[in-house]
Amino acid sequence: PTSIIEDEVKLSEGVKVWNFSHIRSGAQIGSNTIIGDNVYIGQGVVVGSNCKIQNSAQIYEPAQIEDGVFIGPGVILTNDKNPRAINSDKSQKSSSDWQPVSVAIKQGASIGAGAVCIGPVQIGQWAMIGAGSVVVDDVLNYALVAGVPARQIGWVGKGGVKLVEQSSKTFKCPISEKIYNLEGTNLVELSS
């Protein structure tokens, strides 16, 4: 009851919204997604099913979040590459004075606590962003990135565990024992 859910928000079946969160008009939240305390979700943002958005995350429009994404506590998805409060003539900037840019997060990706993703940027499927990272460039599928600015430091499998290099183009999950091959710059999970 302490959350604000504006008109024309679509909450699918099984969505849970915790205290003091604000979901803006036109946002769409997929089934079974959990939204923690003090979360802000901007106007028209689309969030897929089975996502977890942890406390104090800030997701600005026009972000696009696919199914099964984890967004850690305090994560910020920005939408303005060149933010200013005023125009060069010192008049206050309004929504007509800039074009919002998107952060797109693909299926299964995880964004660690306190990370900031500076739009426009795309986070690939099953990628993992280390806590406190600042993402300014696109992130490949299965890539493990960390730092300021974020740089790739390895690969992760679908289980979220860093893959072990078997050869220059083959990697193995130490938990599931699944094998992944590097094809160009794309890591591909081999079928069983």
Side-chain angles (χ1 to χ4, degrees), residues 60-152:
Y60 293 96
E61 66 279 354
Q64 302 285 313
I65 300 166
E66 292 186 0
D67 295 344
V69 168
F70 175 86
I71 295 180
V75 166
I76 302 172
L77 307 183
T78 73
N79 65 357
D80 192 348
K81 193 82 167 171
N82 303 296
R84 291 280 192 215
I86 60 174
N87 295 304
S88 58
D89 64 3
K90 299 183 185 172
S91 63
Q92 189 173 38
K93 216 172 180 184
S94 70
S95 59
S96 63
D97 294 318
W98 65 286
Q99 183 65 42
V101 293
S102 180
V103 174
I105 305 176
K106 300 299 184 180
Q107 178 182 6
S110 293
I111 316 297
V116 179
C117 298
I118 311 289
V121 69
Q122 179 173 292
I123 311 300
Q125 293 181 358
W126 304 102
M128 183 171 284
I129 311 302
S133 297
V134 176
V135 180
V136 296
D137 295 311
D138 289 349
V139 176
L140 298 170
N141 295 342
Y142 300 104
L144 173 61
V145 303
V148 180
R151 297 286 181 242
Q152 187 169 351

Coordinates of all heavy atoms in Angstrom, one line a residue, residues 60-152:
Y60 N 15.3 4.0 -15.6 CA 14.8 5.1 -16.3 C 14.4 4.7 -17.7 O 15.0 3.8 -18.4 CB 15.8 6.3 -16.4 CG 15.9 6.8 -15.0 CD1 17.0 6.5 -14.2 CD2 15.0 7.7 -14.5 CE1 17.1 7.0 -12.9 CE2 15.1 8.3 -13.2 CZ 16.2 7.9 -12.4 OH 16.3 8.4 -11.1
E61 N 13.3 5.3 -18.2 CA 12.8 5.0 -19.6 C 13.8 5.5 -20.6 O 14.5 6.4 -20.3 CB 11.4 5.7 -19.8 CG 11.4 7.2 -19.8 CD 11.5 7.8 -18.4 OE1 11.3 7.2 -17.3 OE2 11.6 9.1 -18.3
P62 N 13.9 4.8 -21.7 CA 13.0 3.7 -22.2 C 13.7 2.3 -22.1 O 13.8 1.5 -23.0 CB 12.9 4.0 -23.7 CG 14.2 4.7 -24.0 CD 14.7 5.4 -22.8
A63 N 14.2 2.0 -20.9 CA 14.8 0.7 -20.6 C 14.0 -0.5 -21.1 O 12.7 -0.5 -20.9 CB 15.2 0.5 -19.2
Q64 N 14.6 -1.6 -21.5 CA 14.0 -2.8 -22.0 C 14.7 -3.9 -21.3 O 15.9 -4.2 -21.5 CB 14.1 -3.0 -23.5 CG 13.5 -1.8 -24.3 CD 11.9 -1.9 -24.3 OE1 11.3 -2.9 -24.5 NE2 11.3 -0.7 -24.0
I65 N 13.9 -4.7 -20.4 CA 14.5 -5.8 -19.7 C 13.8 -7.1 -20.0 O 12.6 -7.2 -19.8 CB 14.4 -5.4 -18.1 CG1 15.1 -4.1 -17.8 CG2 14.9 -6.6 -17.3 CD1 14.8 -3.6 -16.5
E66 N 14.6 -8.0 -20.5 CA 14.0 -9.3 -21.0 C 13.8 -10.2 -19.8 O 14.1 -9.9 -18.6 CB 14.8 -9.9 -22.0 CG 14.8 -9.2 -23.3 CD 15.6 -9.9 -24.5 OE1 16.1 -11.0 -24.3 OE2 15.6 -9.3 -25.6
D67 N 13.3 -11.4 -20.0 CA 12.9 -12.4 -19.0 C 14.2 -12.9 -18.2 O 15.3 -13.0 -18.8 CB 12.3 -13.7 -19.6 CG 11.0 -13.4 -20.3 OD1 10.4 -12.3 -20.0 OD2 10.5 -14.3 -21.1
G68 N 13.9 -13.2 -16.9 CA 14.9 -13.8 -16.1 C 16.1 -12.9 -15.7 O 17.2 -13.4 -15.4
V69 N 16.0 -11.6 -15.8 CA 17.1 -10.7 -15.5 C 17.1 -10.4 -14.0 O 16.1 -10.2 -13.3 CB 16.9 -9.4 -16.3 CG1 17.9 -8.3 -15.8 CG2 17.2 -9.7 -17.8
F70 N 18.3 -10.4 -13.4 CA 18.6 -10.0 -12.0 C 19.2 -8.6 -12.0 O 20.2 -8.3 -12.7 CB 19.5 -11.0 -11.3 CG 19.9 -10.5 -9.9 CD1 19.1 -10.9 -8.9 CD2 21.0 -9.8 -9.7 CE1 19.4 -10.5 -7.6 CE2 21.3 -9.4 -8.4 CZ 20.5 -9.7 -7.3
I71 N 18.5 -7.7 -11.3 CA 19.1 -6.3 -11.1 C 19.3 -6.1 -9.6 O 18.4 -6.1 -8.8 CB 18.1 -5.3 -11.7 CG1 18.0 -5.5 -13.2 CG2 18.6 -3.9 -11.3 CD1 17.1 -4.5 -13.9
G72 N 20.6 -6.0 -9.2 CA 21.0 -5.9 -7.8 C 20.6 -4.6 -7.1 O 20.1 -3.7 -7.8
P73 N 20.7 -4.6 -5.8 CA 20.4 -3.4 -5.1 C 21.2 -2.1 -5.5 O 22.4 -2.2 -5.8 CB 20.8 -3.7 -3.6 CG 21.1 -5.2 -3.6 CD 21.3 -5.6 -5.0
G74 N 20.5 -1.0 -5.7 CA 21.1 0.2 -6.0 C 21.6 0.4 -7.4 O 22.3 1.3 -7.7
V75 N 21.2 -0.5 -8.3 CA 21.6 -0.4 -9.7 C 20.9 0.8 -10.3 O 19.7 1.1 -10.0 CB 21.2 -1.7 -10.5 CG1 21.3 -1.5 -12.0 CG2 22.2 -2.8 -10.0
I76 N 21.5 1.5 -11.3 CA 20.9 2.6 -12.0 C 21.1 2.4 -13.5 O 22.2 2.1 -14.0 CB 21.6 3.9 -11.6 CG1 21.5 4.2 -10.1 CG2 21.0 5.1 -12.4 CD1 22.3 5.4 -9.6
L77 N 20.0 2.4 -14.2 CA 20.0 2.4 -15.7 C 19.7 3.8 -16.1 O 18.5 4.2 -16.0 CB 19.0 1.4 -16.2 CG 19.0 0.0 -15.6 CD1 18.0 -0.9 -16.3 CD2 20.4 -0.7 -15.8
T78 N 20.6 4.5 -16.7 CA 20.4 5.9 -17.1 C 19.8 6.0 -18.5 O 19.8 5.0 -19.2 CB 21.8 6.7 -17.0 OG1 22.6 6.3 -18.1 CG2 22.5 6.5 -15.7
N79 N 19.5 7.2 -18.8 CA 18.8 7.4 -20.2 C 19.3 8.7 -20.8 O 18.7 9.2 -21.8 CB 17.3 7.4 -20.1 CG 16.8 8.6 -19.2 OD1 17.5 9.4 -18.7 ND2 15.4 8.6 -19.1
D80 N 20.3 9.4 -20.3 CA 20.8 10.7 -20.9 C 22.3 10.7 -21.0 O 22.9 10.7 -19.9 CB 20.2 11.8 -20.0 CG 20.4 13.2 -20.7 OD1 21.1 13.3 -21.7 OD2 19.8 14.1 -20.2
K81 N 22.8 10.6 -22.2 CA 24.3 10.6 -22.3 C 25.0 11.9 -22.0 O 26.1 11.9 -21.6 CB 24.6 10.2 -23.8 CG 26.0 9.8 -24.1 CD 26.3 8.3 -23.7 CE 27.6 7.9 -24.2 NZ 28.0 6.6 -23.7
N82 N 24.2 13.0 -22.1 CA 24.8 14.3 -21.9 C 23.8 15.1 -21.0 O 23.2 16.1 -21.4 CB 25.0 15.1 -23.2 CG 25.9 14.3 -24.1 OD1 27.1 14.1 -23.8 ND2 25.4 13.8 -25.3
P83 N 23.7 14.8 -19.7 CA 22.7 15.4 -18.9 C 23.0 16.8 -18.5 O 24.2 17.2 -18.2 CB 22.7 14.5 -17.6 CG 24.1 13.9 -17.6 CD 24.5 13.7 -19.0
R84 N 22.0 17.7 -18.5 CA 22.1 19.1 -18.1 C 20.8 19.4 -17.5 O 19.7 19.0 -18.0 CB 22.4 20.0 -19.3 CG 23.8 19.9 -19.9 CD 24.8 20.6 -19.0 NE 26.0 20.7 -19.8 CZ 27.2 20.7 -19.2 NH1 27.3 20.6 -17.9 NH2 28.3 20.8 -19.9
A85 N 20.7 20.3 -16.5 CA 19.5 20.8 -16.0 C 19.0 22.0 -16.8 O 17.8 22.3 -16.8 CB 19.7 21.3 -14.5
I86 N 19.9 22.7 -17.5 CA 19.5 23.9 -18.3 C 20.1 23.8 -19.7 O 21.0 23.1 -19.9 CB 19.9 25.2 -17.6 CG1 21.5 25.2 -17.4 CG2 19.2 25.4 -16.3 CD1 22.0 26.6 -16.9
N87 N 19.4 24.5 -20.6 CA 19.9 24.7 -21.9 C 21.0 25.7 -22.0 O 21.3 26.4 -21.0 CB 18.8 25.1 -22.9 CG 17.8 24.0 -23.0 OD1 18.1 22.9 -23.3 ND2 16.5 24.3 -22.7
S88 N 21.7 25.9 -23.1 CA 22.8 26.9 -23.2 C 22.3 28.3 -23.0 O 23.1 29.2 -22.5 CB 23.5 26.8 -24.5 OG 22.6 27.0 -25.6
D89 N 21.0 28.6 -23.2 CA 20.5 29.9 -22.9 C 20.0 30.1 -21.5 O 19.4 31.1 -21.1 CB 19.3 30.2 -23.9 CG 18.1 29.3 -23.7 OD1 18.1 28.5 -22.8 OD2 17.1 29.5 -24.5
K90 N 20.3 29.1 -20.6 CA 20.0 29.1 -19.2 C 18.6 28.8 -18.9 O 18.2 28.9 -17.7 CB 20.5 30.3 -18.5 CG 22.0 30.5 -18.6 CD 22.5 31.7 -17.9 CE 24.0 31.9 -18.1 NZ 24.5 33.1 -17.6
S91 N 17.8 28.5 -19.9 CA 16.4 28.1 -19.6 C 16.4 26.6 -19.1 O 17.3 25.9 -19.5 CB 15.5 28.2 -20.9 OG 16.0 27.3 -21.9
Q92 N 15.4 26.3 -18.3 CA 15.4 25.0 -17.7 C 15.1 24.0 -18.8 O 14.2 24.2 -19.7 CB 14.3 24.9 -16.6 CG 14.4 23.5 -15.9 CD 13.5 23.5 -14.7 OE1 12.4 24.0 -14.7 NE2 14.0 22.9 -13.6
K93 N 15.8 22.9 -18.9 CA 15.7 21.8 -19.9 C 14.3 21.1 -19.6 O 14.0 20.8 -18.5 CB 16.8 20.8 -19.7 CG 17.3 20.3 -21.0 CD 18.5 19.5 -20.8 CE 19.0 18.9 -22.1 NZ 20.2 18.0 -22.0
S94 N 13.6 20.8 -20.7 CA 12.4 20.1 -20.6 C 12.5 18.8 -21.4 O 13.5 18.6 -22.1 CB 11.2 20.9 -21.1 OG 11.2 21.0 -22.5
S95 N 11.5 17.9 -21.3 CA 11.5 16.7 -22.1 C 11.7 16.8 -23.6 O 12.2 16.0 -24.3 CB 10.3 15.8 -21.8 OG 9.1 16.5 -22.1
S96 N 11.3 18.0 -24.1 CA 11.4 18.2 -25.5 C 12.8 18.7 -25.9 O 13.1 18.8 -27.1 CB 10.4 19.3 -26.0 OG 10.7 20.5 -25.4
D97 N 13.7 18.9 -25.0 CA 15.1 19.3 -25.2 C 16.1 18.2 -25.3 O 17.3 18.5 -25.5 CB 15.5 20.3 -24.2 CG 14.7 21.6 -24.2 OD1 14.5 22.1 -25.3 OD2 14.4 22.1 -23.1
W98 N 15.7 17.0 -25.2 CA 16.6 15.9 -25.3 C 15.9 14.6 -25.7 O 14.7 14.5 -25.5 CB 17.4 15.7 -24.0 CG 16.6 15.3 -22.8 CD1 15.7 16.0 -22.1 CD2 16.5 14.0 -22.3 NE1 15.1 15.3 -21.1 CE2 15.6 14.0 -21.2 CE3 17.2 12.8 -22.5 CZ2 15.3 12.9 -20.4 CZ3 16.9 11.7 -21.7 CH2 15.9 11.8 -20.6
Q99 N 16.6 13.6 -26.2 CA 16.1 12.3 -26.6 C 16.6 11.2 -25.7 O 17.8 11.0 -25.6 CB 16.5 12.0 -28.0 CG 15.9 10.8 -28.6 CD 14.4 10.8 -28.8 OE1 13.9 11.8 -29.2 NE2 13.7 9.7 -28.4
P100 N 15.7 10.6 -24.9 CA 16.1 9.5 -24.0 C 16.7 8.4 -24.8 O 16.3 8.1 -25.9 CB 14.9 9.1 -23.3 CG 13.8 10.1 -23.6 CD 14.2 10.8 -24.8
V101 N 17.7 7.7 -24.2 CA 18.4 6.6 -24.8 C 18.2 5.4 -23.9 O 18.1 5.5 -22.7 CB 19.9 6.8 -25.1 CG1 20.0 7.8 -26.2 CG2 20.6 7.2 -23.9
S102 N 18.2 4.2 -24.4 CA 17.8 3.0 -23.7 C 19.0 2.2 -23.2 O 20.0 2.1 -23.8 CB 17.0 2.1 -24.6 OG 16.6 0.9 -23.9
V103 N 18.8 1.5 -22.1 CA 19.6 0.4 -21.6 C 18.7 -0.8 -21.9 O 17.6 -0.9 -21.4 CB 20.0 0.5 -20.2 CG1 20.7 -0.8 -19.7 CG2 20.8 1.7 -19.9
A104 N 19.3 -1.8 -22.7 CA 18.6 -3.0 -23.0 C 19.3 -4.2 -22.4 O 20.5 -4.3 -22.6 CB 18.5 -3.2 -24.5
I105 N 18.6 -4.9 -21.6 CA 19.2 -6.1 -20.9 C 18.5 -7.3 -21.4 O 17.3 -7.5 -21.3 CB 19.1 -5.9 -19.4 CG1 19.6 -4.6 -18.9 CG2 19.8 -7.1 -18.7 CD1 19.5 -4.3 -17.4
K106 N 19.4 -8.2 -21.9 CA 18.9 -9.5 -22.6 C 18.6 -10.6 -21.5 O 19.1 -10.5 -20.4 CB 19.8 -9.9 -23.7 CG 20.0 -8.9 -24.8 CD 18.7 -8.6 -25.5 CE 18.9 -7.7 -26.6 NZ 17.6 -7.4 -27.3
Q107 N 18.0 -11.6 -22.0 CA 17.5 -12.7 -21.1 C 18.6 -13.3 -20.2 O 19.8 -13.5 -20.7 CB 17.0 -13.8 -22.0 CG 16.6 -15.1 -21.2 CD 16.1 -16.2 -22.1 OE1 16.2 -16.1 -23.3 NE2 15.6 -17.2 -21.5
G108 N 18.3 -13.4 -18.9 CA 19.2 -14.1 -18.0 C 20.4 -13.3 -17.5 O 21.1 -13.8 -16.7
A109 N 20.5 -12.1 -17.9 CA 21.7 -11.3 -17.5 C 21.5 -10.9 -16.0 O 20.4 -10.8 -15.5 CB 21.9 -10.1 -18.4
S110 N 22.7 -10.6 -15.4 CA 22.7 -10.2 -14.0 C 23.5 -8.9 -13.9 O 24.6 -8.8 -14.4 CB 23.3 -11.2 -13.1 OG 22.5 -12.4 -13.0
I111 N 23.0 -7.9 -13.1 CA 23.6 -6.7 -12.9 C 23.9 -6.6 -11.4 O 23.0 -6.5 -10.6 CB 22.8 -5.5 -13.4 CG1 22.1 -5.7 -14.7 CG2 23.6 -4.2 -13.3 CD1 23.0 -5.9 -15.9
G112 N 25.2 -6.5 -11.0 CA 25.6 -6.5 -9.6 C 25.2 -5.3 -8.9 O 25.0 -4.2 -9.5
A113 N 25.2 -5.3 -7.6 CA 24.8 -4.2 -6.7 C 25.6 -3.0 -7.0 O 26.8 -3.0 -7.2 CB 25.0 -4.6 -5.2
G114 N 24.9 -1.9 -7.1 CA 25.5 -0.5 -7.2 C 26.1 -0.3 -8.6 O 26.7 0.8 -8.8
A115 N 25.9 -1.2 -9.6 CA 26.4 -0.9 -10.9 C 25.5 0.2 -11.6 O 24.4 0.4 -11.3 CB 26.3 -2.2 -11.8
V116 N 26.2 0.9 -12.5 CA 25.5 2.0 -13.3 C 25.7 1.6 -14.7 O 26.8 1.4 -15.2 CB 26.1 3.4 -13.0 CG1 25.4 4.4 -13.8 CG2 26.0 3.7 -11.5
C117 N 24.6 1.6 -15.5 CA 24.7 1.3 -16.9 C 24.3 2.6 -17.6 O 23.2 3.1 -17.4 CB 23.7 0.2 -17.3 SG 24.1 -1.4 -16.5
I118 N 25.2 3.2 -18.4 CA 25.0 4.5 -19.0 C 24.5 4.2 -20.5 O 25.2 3.8 -21.3 CB 26.4 5.3 -19.1 CG1 27.1 5.3 -17.8 CG2 26.1 6.6 -19.7 CD1 26.5 6.2 -16.7
G119 N 23.2 4.6 -20.7 CA 22.6 4.4 -22.0 C 23.2 5.3 -23.0 O 23.7 6.4 -22.7
P120 N 23.2 5.0 -24.3 CA 22.6 3.7 -24.8 C 23.6 2.6 -24.7 O 24.8 2.7 -25.1 CB 22.4 4.1 -26.3 CG 23.4 5.1 -26.6 CD 23.7 5.8 -25.4
V121 N 23.2 1.4 -24.2 CA 24.0 0.3 -24.0 C 23.1 -1.0 -24.0 O 22.0 -0.9 -23.6 CB 24.9 0.4 -22.8 CG1 24.0 0.3 -21.5 CG2 26.0 -0.6 -22.7
Q122 N 23.7 -2.1 -24.5 CA 23.0 -3.4 -24.5 C 23.8 -4.4 -23.7 O 25.0 -4.5 -23.9 CB 22.8 -3.9 -25.9 CG 22.1 -5.2 -25.9 CD 21.7 -5.6 -27.3 OE1 20.8 -5.0 -27.9 NE2 22.3 -6.7 -27.8
I123 N 23.2 -5.1 -22.8 CA 23.8 -6.1 -22.0 C 23.3 -7.4 -22.5 O 22.1 -7.7 -22.6 CB 23.4 -6.0 -20.5 CG1 23.6 -4.6 -19.9 CG2 24.1 -7.1 -19.7 CD1 24.9 -4.0 -20.0
G124 N 24.3 -8.3 -23.0 CA 23.9 -9.5 -23.7 C 23.3 -10.6 -22.8 O 23.4 -10.5 -21.6
Q125 N 22.8 -11.6 -23.4 CA 22.1 -12.8 -22.7 C 23.2 -13.4 -21.8 O 24.3 -13.6 -22.1 CB 21.7 -13.8 -23.7 CG 20.5 -13.4 -24.6 CD 20.1 -14.5 -25.5 OE1 20.6 -15.6 -25.5 NE2 19.0 -14.2 -26.3
W126 N 22.7 -13.7 -20.6 CA 23.4 -14.4 -19.5 C 24.7 -13.7 -19.1 O 25.6 -14.3 -18.5 CB 23.7 -15.9 -20.0 CG 22.4 -16.6 -20.3 CD1 21.9 -16.8 -21.5 CD2 21.5 -17.1 -19.4 NE1 20.7 -17.5 -21.4 CE2 20.4 -17.7 -20.1 CE3 21.4 -17.1 -18.0 CZ2 19.3 -18.3 -19.5 CZ3 20.3 -17.7 -17.4 CH2 19.3 -18.3 -18.2
A127 N 24.9 -12.5 -19.5 CA 26.1 -11.7 -19.1 C 26.0 -11.4 -17.6 O 24.9 -11.4 -17.0 CB 26.2 -10.4 -19.9
M128 N 27.1 -11.1 -17.0 CA 27.2 -10.7 -15.6 C 28.0 -9.4 -15.4 O 29.2 -9.4 -15.9 CB 27.7 -11.8 -14.7 CG 27.7 -11.5 -13.3 SD 28.1 -13.0 -12.2 CE 26.6 -13.9 -12.3
I129 N 27.4 -8.4 -14.8 CA 28.1 -7.2 -14.5 C 28.5 -7.2 -13.0 O 27.6 -7.3 -12.1 CB 27.2 -6.0 -14.8 CG1 26.5 -6.1 -16.1 CG2 27.9 -4.7 -14.6 CD1 27.4 -6.2 -17.3
G130 N 29.8 -7.0 -12.7 CA 30.3 -7.0 -11.4 C 29.7 -5.8 -10.6 O 29.4 -4.7 -11.1
A131 N 29.6 -6.0 -9.3 CA 29.1 -5.0 -8.4 C 29.9 -3.7 -8.5 O 31.2 -3.8 -8.6 CB 29.1 -5.5 -6.9
G132 N 29.3 -2.5 -8.5 CA 30.0 -1.3 -8.5 C 30.6 -0.9 -9.9 O 31.2 0.2 -10.0
S133 N 30.3 -1.7 -10.9 CA 30.8 -1.4 -12.3 C 30.1 -0.2 -12.9 O 28.9 0.1 -12.6 CB 30.7 -2.6 -13.2 OG 31.5 -3.6 -12.7
V134 N 30.7 0.5 -13.8 CA 30.1 1.5 -14.7 C 30.2 1.0 -16.1 O 31.3 0.9 -16.7 CB 30.8 2.9 -14.5 CG1 30.1 3.9 -15.4 CG2 30.7 3.3 -13.0
V135 N 29.0 0.7 -16.7 CA 29.0 0.1 -18.0 C 28.7 1.2 -19.0 O 27.7 1.9 -19.0 CB 27.9 -1.0 -18.1 CG1 27.8 -1.6 -19.5 CG2 28.1 -2.1 -17.1
V136 N 29.7 1.4 -19.9 CA 29.5 2.4 -21.0 C 29.6 1.9 -22.4 O 29.3 2.6 -23.3 CB 30.6 3.5 -20.8 CG1 30.5 4.3 -19.5 CG2 32.0 2.9 -20.9
D137 N 29.9 0.6 -22.5 CA 29.9 -0.1 -23.8 C 29.0 -1.3 -23.8 O 28.8 -1.9 -22.7 CB 31.3 -0.5 -24.2 CG 32.3 0.7 -24.4 OD1 31.9 1.6 -25.1 OD2 33.3 0.7 -23.8
D138 N 28.6 -1.8 -24.9 CA 27.8 -3.0 -25.0 C 28.6 -4.2 -24.4 O 29.8 -4.2 -24.5 CB 27.4 -3.3 -26.5 CG 26.4 -2.4 -27.1 OD1 25.8 -1.6 -26.3 OD2 26.2 -2.4 -28.3
V139 N 27.8 -5.1 -23.9 CA 28.4 -6.3 -23.2 C 27.9 -7.5 -24.0 O 26.7 -7.7 -24.2 CB 28.0 -6.4 -21.7 CG1 28.5 -7.7 -21.1 CG2 28.4 -5.2 -21.0
L140 N 28.9 -8.4 -24.3 CA 28.6 -9.6 -25.1 C 27.8 -10.6 -24.3 O 27.8 -10.6 -23.0 CB 29.9 -10.3 -25.5 CG 30.8 -9.5 -26.5 CD1 32.1 -10.2 -26.6 CD2 30.1 -9.3 -27.8
N141 N 27.1 -11.5 -25.0 CA 26.4 -12.7 -24.3 C 27.5 -13.4 -23.5 O 28.6 -13.7 -24.0 CB 25.8 -13.6 -25.3 CG 24.7 -13.0 -26.2 OD1 24.1 -12.0 -25.8 ND2 24.4 -13.7 -27.3
Y142 N 27.1 -13.9 -22.3 CA 27.9 -14.6 -21.4 C 29.2 -13.9 -20.9 O 30.0 -14.5 -20.1 CB 28.4 -16.0 -22.0 CG 27.2 -16.9 -22.4 CD1 26.9 -17.0 -23.7 CD2 26.5 -17.6 -21.5 CE1 25.8 -17.9 -24.1 CE2 25.5 -18.5 -21.9 CZ 25.1 -18.6 -23.2 OH 24.1 -19.4 -23.6
A143 N 29.4 -12.7 -21.2 CA 30.6 -12.0 -20.7 C 30.5 -11.6 -19.3 O 29.4 -11.3 -18.7 CB 30.8 -10.7 -21.6
L144 N 31.6 -11.7 -18.6 CA 31.8 -11.2 -17.2 C 32.6 -10.0 -17.3 O 33.7 -9.9 -17.8 CB 32.5 -12.3 -16.4 CG 32.9 -11.9 -15.0 CD1 31.7 -11.6 -14.1 CD2 33.7 -13.0 -14.3
V145 N 31.9 -8.9 -16.8 CA 32.6 -7.6 -16.9 C 32.6 -6.9 -15.5 O 31.8 -7.2 -14.7 CB 32.0 -6.6 -17.9 CG1 31.9 -7.2 -19.3 CG2 30.6 -6.2 -17.5
A146 N 33.7 -6.1 -15.2 CA 33.8 -5.4 -13.9 C 34.7 -4.2 -14.1 O 35.4 -4.1 -15.1 CB 34.4 -6.4 -12.9
G147 N 34.5 -3.3 -13.2 CA 35.4 -2.1 -13.2 C 34.7 -0.8 -13.6 O 33.6 -0.8 -13.9
V148 N 35.6 0.2 -13.5 CA 35.1 1.6 -13.9 C 36.2 2.1 -14.9 O 37.3 2.5 -14.5 CB 35.0 2.5 -12.7 CG1 34.6 3.9 -13.1 CG2 34.1 1.9 -11.7
P149 N 35.9 2.2 -16.2 CA 34.7 1.6 -16.8 C 34.8 0.1 -16.9 O 35.9 -0.4 -16.8 CB 34.7 2.3 -18.2 CG 36.2 2.5 -18.5 CD 36.8 2.8 -17.2
A150 N 33.6 -0.5 -17.0 CA 33.6 -2.0 -17.0 C 34.3 -2.6 -18.2 O 34.2 -2.1 -19.4 CB 32.1 -2.5 -17.1
R151 N 35.1 -3.6 -18.0 CA 35.9 -4.3 -19.0 C 35.7 -5.8 -18.8 O 35.5 -6.3 -17.7 CB 37.4 -4.0 -18.9 CG 37.7 -2.6 -19.2 CD 37.6 -2.2 -20.6 NE 38.0 -0.8 -20.9 CZ 37.1 0.1 -21.4 NH1 35.9 -0.2 -21.7 NH2 37.5 1.3 -21.5
Q152 N 35.7 -6.6 -19.9 CA 35.5 -8.0 -19.8 C 36.7 -8.6 -19.1 O 37.9 -8.4 -19.5 CB 35.3 -8.6 -21.2 CG 34.9 -10.1 -21.1 CD 34.5 -10.7 -22.3 OE1 34.3 -10.0 -23.3 NE2 34.3 -12.0 -22.3

